[in-house]
Amino acid sequence: MQRYLQFDSNGGTAFDPDTVRLLGDAFDGAWRSLQTTGVYFTSRGHAEATREKLALRIIEMANHGERDLDRLRADALQHLMRTTPERSRRRYTGL
């Protein structure tokens, strides 16, 4: 998550240490949830792109003031589903 926070430093909010931990926990929870569904990735690049998409969505929501761990996690997963074409979900991620 730290890497993505640095990546999003163009115009994003600076987060205090407690919030950074919260965002990391939300990201870790979202990633674990995704993995427990039996998702598979055809390449390391697809997995990394998915991780980035989750992280950036969590940061985006935090920039808008969201601080609830469960809502951050759930929103990131929903965003992933909304923004991944169905064909790609089946072929590349098993969603």
Side-chain angles (χ1 to χ4, degrees):
M1 182 55 111
Q2 288 290 340
R3 178 174 75 205
Y4 301 113
L5 285 168
Q6 293 169 358
F7 177 75
D8 189 53
S9 63
N10 57 355
T13 304
F15 298 113
D16 63 76
D18 289 336
T19 301
V20 171
R21 277 189 291 281
L22 172 78
L23 300 181
D25 290 346
F27 172 78
D28 291 341
W31 186 247
R32 273 192 308 275
S33 292
L34 195 58
Q35 289 178 313
T36 62
T37 64
V39 165
Y40 67 94
F41 298 94
T42 58
S43 73
R44 184 172 252 191
H46 287 124
E48 185 56 36
T50 301
R51 289 175 62 86
E52 181 176 312
K53 191 177 264 194
L54 288 172
L56 293 177
R57 179 59 177 194
I58 289 168
I59 293 166
E60 177 183 353
M61 295 306 294
N63 279 333
H64 290 294
E66 183 60 69
R67 295 296 187 273
D68 181 89
L69 177 71
D70 293 330
R71 283 194 296 260
L72 286 167
R73 182 185 58 78
D75 178 77
L77 292 168
Q78 290 170 354
H79 178 73
L80 183 64
M81 290 299 294
R82 284 191 307 267
T83 59
T84 303
E86 185 176 340
R87 186 181 84 240
S88 294
R89 285 196 308 250
R90 283 182 283 147
R91 184 171 176 202
Y92 298 119
T93 63
L95 296 177

